[in-house]
Amino acid sequence: MAHAPDAERDAILAALTPVVHGVAVTFGPVCEVVLHDYRNPEKSVVAVAGSVTGRSVGGAMSEIGMRVLAHGDEAADELNYVTRAGNGAVVKSSTMVLRDSTGAVFGALCVNVDVSAVSRVHDLLGALAGAGAAPAELPVTTFGDDIDSVVDALVDAHRTRQRGSWPELDRAERLELFDGLDARGVFAVRGAVEQVAARLGISRASAYHYLARARAARDTSPGEHS
């Protein structure tokens, strides 16, 4: 399927730019709205209003954007998910993908709401009511205007879960590492393979090898990663 001309995509982004400000003003200082153009992942933020994750125009996509890129035109909206930002804030978000007239995904409109205060009140009321269950641990989402910092954070998070440096990982664990990074869209960013290799202390050739093997294994495993 051929993609629509860039002029059409530019027009869609231009039409949504005032919406960014309007939504943020409507919900007040706890709300941030970010408009992304994924044609330029390293500088995808084209409009932003409010300040929850510290984004600015010209900044890079987050790991959520990488995940959208990884799914390509099959990407779907992700609505009302709750994560924890690097600064500790509890953030409820919705990511709505943007499509041109051919159905191709080229960007996203993201709404982030800081619900930290609401979460604290909820926990306090639960404690007063005698609810003894500990609150569920929220996944940490990496937001940042620098795409390199987002990629590095994802690599470090995967290494922490595996509890071992690269030389300590066996072949299956190394493939799992590259498969996990690929599933989260890391390698959709230009230069990410080289950056991951440097972060792991391995050669670029080794990184490409493990990425290829991880993808081959996934392709031959029916029912997985659907």
Side-chain angles (χ1 to χ4, degrees), residues 175-215:
L175 290 175
E176 181 185 354
L177 170 61
F178 273 84
D179 183 58
L181 293 174
D182 197 27
R184 298 185 78 166
V186 169
F187 299 113
V189 177
R190 288 189 298 270
V193 173
E194 292 81 356
Q195 185 177 343
V196 170
R199 195 72 174 178
L200 294 174
I202 62 177
S203 69
R204 183 174 64 174
S206 292
Y208 275 109
H209 168 77
Y210 279 102
L211 176 59
R213 303 312 300 172
R215 287 175 171 173

Side-chain angles (χ1 to χ4, degrees), residues 4-21:
D6 281 339
E8 178 191 320
R9 299 179 177 189
D10 291 341
I12 294 172
L13 292 171
L16 286 173
T17 297
V19 174
V20 169
H21 177 72

